[in-house]
Amino acid sequence: MSPIHDSGREALNKSPQAGAPAAGMGCEAQSAAIPGGLASLCNEAARPNAGCASRVEIVQRFPSYDALRTAILSLELMPGEQLSERGLEERLGASRTPIRAALMRLENEGLVQRAGRGWQVAPIDLAEIRAVMEYREAVESAAVALAAERADDAELVTLRALAHADPDHDSEEAGLRNGVDFHVALARLSRNRFLAEAMSNALIRLRRTRWLEVSTPESRAQAQAEHLAIAAAVAARDTARARELAIAHSRGIRDRLLACLSEERRRWRGRGFAIIESSPLSPSHA
């Protein structure tokens, strides 16, 4: 990675705590890019950043949790796949107690769920994706407005550098990493650590499907253009425009992602993906 990208990420990591498939691209072309495993991407979720110290500590103390979480987020363990504690003991070379602790933590994160006397990797839930995207929109629209007011000029220069993809490292992996870095950095510039944590958590919830956003060079270029426009509006201290662009970016991702998942639901099920549509919670159960 070029020096400006390395220095940009380092600068934002030291700041105070506080993309989407191209239009017109068919789902068939996107589905051909389904990864068999993106394990290298998932280590990013455990990197130190504002508000995430507790997760880093968990990863260091609980390697079974880290390994299992990585396998799920990378799609090495497929949505809907059945899990047993004994099988995971053999797979991870760990005893029953840390395996059980890891499963309980992952259950709290929504990545696994109980299935009778055993466990299963949580299916990809279209209703959950809609809900998380609504949550992400609310969080990011608030964060981007605060960033426009509170970030200093040097931080805004660094944010723009993060939005520039490195042409020598254009790949699905780089596209996912750049997207996470940009959105978490933007939320961090709000100087509100709860907003930064909320954005990071939302992106983790969406990670298993976010590879659709970066499946082609065209979709990665579109995401970069939208990131640059958001960064420019924040740098201009144009709060209304920054919020408008952030909301449009989030809704565009949501609409294309859900359309593609819905269209390809049956075919992907045949390839091992469990995709469901749960009922939204009623107010009495919320």
Side-chain angles (χ1 to χ4, degrees), residues 1-80:
M1 185 168 289
S2 63
I4 188 170
H5 287 78
D6 287 340
S7 61
R9 286 185 171 85
E10 182 179 357
L12 277 174
N13 282 336
K14 293 179 179 179
S15 65
Q17 285 193 355
M25 179 185 177
C27 290
E28 183 173 353
Q30 293 176 9
S31 65
I34 293 176
L38 297 173
S40 60
L41 295 178
C42 300
N43 293 328
E44 178 185 345
R47 293 184 316 178
N49 56 42
C52 294
S54 60
R55 176 169 291 118
V56 175
E57 181 180 342
I58 288 169
V59 167
Q60 291 171 342
R61 293 174 54 199
F62 299 102
S64 297
Y65 163 84
D66 183 29
L68 187 53
R69 185 171 178 274
T70 294
I72 292 170
L73 292 176
S74 69
L75 302 177
E76 182 181 341
L77 290 174
M78 303 287 276

Side-chain angles (χ1 to χ4, degrees), residues 151-196:
D152 63 37
D153 291 343
E155 289 169 333
L156 294 174
V157 170
T158 303
L159 182 68
R160 183 171 178 81
L162 280 178
H164 275 285
D166 186 344
D168 295 328
H169 296 83
D170 182 29
S171 65
E172 292 179 16
E173 178 178 341
L176 276 178
R177 183 180 61 248
N178 292 340
V180 170
D181 284 348
F182 176 80
H183 287 287
V184 173
L186 177 59
R188 208 175 296 159
L189 293 184
S190 71
R191 300 288 199 275
N192 185 312
R193 69 183 180 89
F194 295 102
L195 290 176

Side-chain angles (χ1 to χ4, degrees), residues 53-213:
S54 60
R55 176 169 291 118
V56 175
E57 181 180 342
I58 288 169
V59 167
Q60 291 171 342
R61 293 174 54 199
F62 299 102
S64 297
Y65 163 84
D66 183 29
L68 187 53
R69 185 171 178 274
T70 294
I72 292 170
L73 292 176
S74 69
L75 302 177
E76 182 181 341
L77 290 174
M78 303 287 276
E81 185 170 339
Q82 298 296 311
L83 303 172
S84 71
E85 292 180 7
R86 178 166 295 184
L88 291 173
E89 288 177 44
E90 296 176 359
R91 178 189 183 102
L92 301 177
S95 62
R96 183 69 57 91
T97 298
I99 293 296
R100 187 167 294 168
L103 288 167
M104 293 177 68
R105 291 183 185 278
L106 292 167
E107 183 182 25
N108 289 336
E109 292 184 22
L111 293 177
V112 301
Q113 60 190 36
R114 297 176 190 271
R117 299 181 64 182
W119 299 80
Q120 73 172 162
V121 179
I124 290 175
D125 186 345
L126 301 182
E128 180 180 287
I129 291 173
R130 291 189 191 94
V132 174
M133 291 300 293
E134 287 178 358
Y135 174 66
R136 169 185 169 169
E137 179 182 315
V139 168
E140 191 156 44
S141 62
V144 75
L146 291 174
E149 296 175 5
R150 297 174 176 177
D152 63 37
D153 291 343
E155 289 169 333
L156 294 174
V157 170
T158 303
L159 182 68
R160 183 171 178 81
L162 280 178
H164 275 285
D166 186 344
D168 295 328
H169 296 83
D170 182 29
S171 65
E172 292 179 16
E173 178 178 341
L176 276 178
R177 183 180 61 248
N178 292 340
V180 170
D181 284 348
F182 176 80
H183 287 287
V184 173
L186 177 59
R188 208 175 296 159
L189 293 184
S190 71
R191 300 288 199 275
N192 185 312
R193 69 183 180 89
F194 295 102
L195 290 176
E197 289 177 7
M199 176 55 67
S200 179
N201 290 336
L203 293 175
I204 289 170
R205 285 276 188 167
L206 296 167
R207 184 179 292 273
R208 292 187 297 169
T209 53
R210 287 188 63 244
W211 48 265
L212 280 172
E213 300 173 43

